[in-house]
RNA sequence: GGCGCCUUCGUCUAGUGGUUAGGACGCUGGCCUCUCACGCCGGUAACACGGGUUCGAAUCCCGUAGGCGCUACCA
């Protein structure tokens, strides 16, 4: 496979959109599977949208994701600089080339004038497009106005009557008539290039072989093709990815929930799960497997298996996938990950019992937070008893059985309370023995014990619960339950 | 409005002329079980519509509808 050079080229807006993550991921996979290079380029040509610290955040979040760049602002590389605002001279040189060859021209139209023009066009029912009034300005006159300091932009001169074909790796050949292509601004009046110019120039000199980006760029690709032609360069291969959608099928955006990778990290999603989920939004392996690590993806990803239709970002499935990754983690890892939240619990109850709780309660969690919550709840003070459960305590058989049960539990030596597996067995046999004389067994027995121990209809397996609680709490709770049962009797 | 892209279960998708249209999430029934959850087994639910082509169309062609994107001195 010939090495592919791909890039992720965000504007520094301060956060990584999950759509951006997928774009970056696909680019990363393409580079890695071919032994090529994955480049980070910062497209900060819009001075009004600059966000402080955005590049640092970006590197931080990619580090969390485990995706690394071969070249970029931080590590440098042979074709830098990798920040567009540091490449202004390059864009200027290239603009001059276009001016010289007649492919770009200055435009003095003010924003206000353009707005009026577009308003008129819409009113007349024609599509708003620059009317090219400055394209025919005499060269000398234009030069004079520029020399006098008159504000101006530079536009590309789109040739009329052409059909521009974009050969897209995902969509096949897309043809667009040049007459529907606007004379795009290439250089803004503040001296910064627009996306179109900077992007083409950079992709060329950075030797990008595959441009993989969102579908929103498809309709402007003819402009880019034209620029390559004007410069006499060979364009890269293009692949326009289907959009990621909100549940209402509009382009995924803020305001309809969480769209930033950071949001999902905060909500307890593992990077592996997020990457896996996002990889499958548009790409399909061809068989029924769904769990893919980055290594698998590198081995198996291919643009040929990327679909064309937009995909709704399904948060529910993401959380399911997260639970799948959580299942693969050992009890120890799980414990360490939430240890911080459990500080006080560990001090009070001892690490062994809390670890045991983690191991016992991990089934079916979707995030670390779920697990933390369960553990905290187990050790928390008992809530008000459930009415139905409280009533059970007053049944005579259960009340009588409870006395025996407590005695037998109290007989369990202290040392055995910390041998959890053994304690579970012991608890079960003690329960069975205590119930036997009173004819209490099975469901009735366990419901009764649950009433005595927690007063709640649902909760962890009782044989495990007592191990988590330890001798002291278990016995005191049982004692209290017995008091309750007897008081009810004497009333 | 113009231009472009897209269209299989609610969602992600498999499917490239002949399949009981498959899988996953969700929802749901059952089993397991001291409860909940987990797990296991089962169910639910889709080819946007209309014309062709063909012995035969989810698959090919045309049209319609719908959705989305772009239409900035934003990317």
């Amino acid at each position: 496979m010939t090495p592919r050079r791909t890039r992720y080229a965000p504007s520094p807006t301060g956060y990584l959109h999950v759509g951006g993550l997928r774009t970056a991921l696909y680019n990363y996979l393409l580079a890695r599977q071919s032994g090529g290079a994955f480049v980070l380029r910062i497209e900060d040509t819009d001075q009004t949208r600059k966000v402080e610290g955005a590049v640092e955040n970006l590197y931080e979040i990619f580090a969390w994701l485990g995706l690394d760049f071969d070249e970029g602002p931080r590590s440098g590389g042979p074709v830098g600089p990798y920040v567009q605002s540091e490449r202004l001279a390059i864009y200027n040189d290239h603009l001059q080339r276009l001016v010289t060859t007649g492919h770009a021209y200055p435009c003095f139209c003010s924003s206000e004038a353009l707005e009026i023009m577009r308003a008129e066009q819409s009113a007349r029912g024609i599509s708003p497009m620059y009317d090219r009034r400055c394209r025919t300005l005499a060269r000398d006159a234009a030069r004079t106005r520029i020399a006098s300091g008159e504000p101006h932009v530079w536009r590309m001169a789109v040739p009329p009557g052409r059909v521009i074909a974009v050969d897209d790796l995902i969509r096949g050949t897309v043809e667009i008539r040049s007459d529907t292509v606007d004379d795009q601004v290439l250089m803004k009046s503040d001296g910064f290039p627009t996306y179109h110019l900077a992007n083409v120039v950079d992709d060329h000199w950075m030797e990008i072989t595959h441009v993989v980006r969102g579908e929103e760029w498809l309709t402007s690709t003819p402009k880019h093709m034209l620029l390559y032609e004007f410069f006499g360069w060979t364009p890269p291969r293009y692949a326009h990815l289907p959009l990621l959608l909100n549940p209402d099928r509009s382009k995924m955006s803020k305001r309809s929930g969480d769209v930033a990778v950071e949001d999902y990290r905060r909500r307890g999603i593992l990077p592996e799960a997020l990457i896996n989920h996002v990889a499958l939004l548009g790409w399909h392996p061809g068989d029924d497997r769904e769990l893919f690590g980055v290594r698998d993806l590198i081995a198996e990803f291919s643009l040929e298996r990327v679909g064309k239709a937009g995909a709704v970002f399904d948060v529910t499935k993401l959380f399911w996938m997260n639970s799948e990754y959580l299942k693969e983690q050992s009890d120890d890892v799980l414990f360490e990950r939430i240890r911080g939240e459990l500080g006080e619990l560990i001090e009070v109850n001892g690490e062994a019992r809390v670890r045991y709780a983690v191991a016992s309660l991990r089934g079916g969690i979707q995030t670390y937070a779920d697990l933390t919550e369960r553990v905290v709840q187990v050790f928390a003070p008992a809530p008000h008893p459930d009415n139905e459960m409280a009533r059970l305590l007053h049944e005579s058989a259960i009340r009588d059985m409870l006395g025996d049960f407590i005695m037998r539990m109290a007989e369990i030596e202290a040392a055995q309370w910390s041998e959890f597996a053994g304690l579970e067995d012991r608890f079960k046999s003690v329960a069975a023995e205590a119930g036997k004389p009173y004819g209490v067994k099975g469901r009735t027995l366990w419901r009764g014990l649950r009433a005595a121990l927690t007063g709640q209809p649902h909760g962890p397996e009782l044989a495990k619960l007592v191990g988590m609680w330890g001798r002291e709490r278990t016995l005191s709770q049982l004692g209290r339950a017995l008091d309750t049962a007897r008081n009810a009797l004497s009333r």
Side-chain angles (χ1 to χ4, degrees):
Chain A
M1 198 183 298
T2 57
R4 294 189 282 239
R5 287 180 59 85
T6 62
R7 55 24 170 217
Y8 178 57
S11 50
T13 53
Y15 69 100
L16 178 60
H17 190 283
V18 293
L21 166 59
R22 189 192 53 174
T23 302
L25 176 66
Y26 287 1
N27 275 288
Y28 173 88
L29 298 174
L30 254 14
R32 285 286 171 276
Q33 68 185 194
S34 66
F38 179 49
V39 177
L40 175 65
R41 183 174 71 225
I42 302 300
E43 309 217 327
D44 59 344
T45 56
D46 185 353
Q47 292 300 290
T48 65
R49 296 213 311 183
K50 251 192 172 152
V51 173
E52 221 38 59
V55 177
E56 288 68 28
N57 285 346
L58 203 67
Y59 270 108
E60 205 277 325
I61 203 80
F62 271 95
W64 178 71
L65 288 161
L67 303 176
D68 55 316
F69 298 99
D70 300 298
E71 300 169 26
R74 196 168 273 182
S75 54
V79 291
Y82 294 87
V83 177
Q84 290 187 329
S85 59
E86 297 169 17
R87 300 171 63 83
L88 263 24
I90 300 173
Y91 308 127
N92 249 307
D93 287 350
H94 286 78
L95 176 71
Q96 285 318 309
R97 277 174 69 171
L98 295 176
V99 172
T100 308
T101 51
H103 295 302
Y105 64 92
C107 169
F108 301 92
C109 299
S110 67
S111 304
E112 296 73 33
L114 291 171
E115 235 164 81
I116 292 166
M117 177 201 71
R118 279 191 284 262
E120 283 172 1
Q121 288 169 331
S122 314
R124 282 169 37 214
I126 57 176
S127 38
M129 234 172 104
Y130 181 55
D131 61 12
R132 300 177 174 170
R133 66 181 77 157
C134 288
R135 189 152 161 182
T136 49
L137 253 34
R139 268 196 119 121
D140 289 347
R143 204 168 301 146
T144 311
R145 291 170 73 173
I146 293 169
S148 76
E150 187 174 344
H152 61 283
V153 301
W154 294 85
R155 291 181 179 273
M156 70 186 283
V158 174
R162 294 260 309 267
V163 173
I164 303 156
V166 179
D167 189 19
D168 190 275
L169 261 10
I170 292 171
R171 278 149 224 287
T173 303
V174 176
E175 294 186 336
I176 293 176
R177 283 171 299 131
S178 69
D179 301 294
T180 67
V181 178
D182 213 346
D183 271 9
Q184 182 65 49
V185 171
L186 297 176
M187 188 66 78
K188 297 181 272 189
S189 57
D190 64 359
F192 280 77
T194 58
Y195 172 88
H196 308 279
L197 208 218
N199 196 263
V200 165
V201 168
D202 289 347
D203 282 342
H204 174 72
W205 290 111
M206 293 182 179
E207 297 169 34
I208 300 303
T209 61
H210 292 66
V211 170
V212 179
R213 65 200 344 179
E215 191 190 345
E216 69 265 31
W217 293 108
L218 184 59
T219 36
S220 45
T221 307
K223 292 170 187 170
H224 307 158
M225 301 288 289
L226 242 20
L227 287 173
Y228 280 100
E229 182 184 313
F230 294 164
F231 287 122
W233 298 335
T234 306
R237 305 306 310 272
Y238 286 102
H240 288 93
L241 268 21
L243 260 20
L244 253 36
L245 273 24
N246 294 315
D248 71 357
R249 304 204 75 84
S250 60
K251 183 173 163 184
M252 195 178 175
S253 62
K254 287 190 199 180
R255 87 170 322 182
S256 76
D258 292 330
V259 295
V261 170
E262 184 58 41
D263 294 328
Y264 292 101
R265 163 152 77 160
R266 184 171 36 76
R267 289 172 65 179
I269 297 295
L270 301 174
E272 300 93 310
L274 189 57
I275 286 173
N276 193 156
H277 184 244
V278 119
L280 257 17
L281 258 25
W283 175 78
H284 191 280
D287 54 36
D288 286 340
R289 288 171 301 155
E290 287 204 297
L291 266 19
F292 288 88
V294 172
R295 296 178 66 96
D296 309 315
L297 291 171
I298 290 172
E300 305 200 34
F301 179 78
S302 106
L303 285 174
E304 284 156 35
R305 293 205 60 87
V306 173
K308 297 175 184 171
V312 173
F313 187 80
D314 183 358
V315 178
T316 305
K317 189 155 185 177
L318 170 62
F319 275 82
W320 166 78
M321 191 158 276
N322 205 53
S323 73
E324 291 297 308
Y325 279 90
L326 251 17
K327 279 179 200 164
E328 291 175 4
Q329 305 205 326
S330 67
D331 293 344
D332 288 341
V333 167
L334 247 26
F335 174 77
E336 293 304 332
R337 289 304 291 261
I338 64 169
R339 179 180 210 131
E341 334 286 324
L342 265 29
E344 205 178 329
L345 277 187
I346 296 170
E347 267 178 49
V348 175
N349 301 285
E351 184 172 319
R353 294 210 324 255
V354 178
R355 278 182 181 276
Y356 177 56
V358 165
S360 302
L361 301 172
R362 59 175 295 172
I365 54 162
Q366 290 199 313
T367 64
Y368 293 123
D370 290 347
L371 183 57
T372 306
E373 196 185 309
R374 288 188 195 182
V375 172
V376 166
Q377 208 164 53
V378 159
F379 290 105
H384 280 296
D386 175 84
N387 285 341
E388 175 68 10
M389 296 302 277
R391 200 185 52 76
L392 279 181
L393 276 185
H394 304 154
E395 288 178 10
S396 62
I398 291 181
R399 184 192 59 227
D400 295 343
M401 171 274 286
L402 208 48
D404 278 17
F405 178 72
I406 293 174
M407 270 168 37
R408 291 169 192 271
M409 284 301 288
E411 282 167 12
I412 300 175
E413 323 78 78
Q416 214 187 319
W417 281 84
S418 47
E419 286 163 29
F420 301 115
L423 183 66
E424 285 177 32
D425 293 340
R426 184 73 184 273
F427 179 88
K428 287 175 192 167
S429 59
V430 162
E433 285 162 25
K436 199 175 287 175
Y438 308 96
V440 179
K441 58 180 181 179
R443 195 178 156 80
T444 314
L445 168 67
W446 289 100
R447 288 249 297 171
L449 291 177
R450 188 170 288 285
L453 282 163
T454 70
Q456 301 299 315
H458 308 308
E461 214 180 308
L462 294 179
K464 290 180 186 291
L465 180 69
V466 296
M468 297 181 225
W469 275 0
R471 186 170 199 272
E472 194 183 338
R473 176 165 181 181
T474 300
L475 292 179
S476 72
Q477 173 57 39
L478 285 170
R480 217 169 313 138
L482 188 61
D483 286 349
T484 306
R486 287 182 173 155
N487 286 343
L489 182 68
S490 63
R491 246 200 332 253

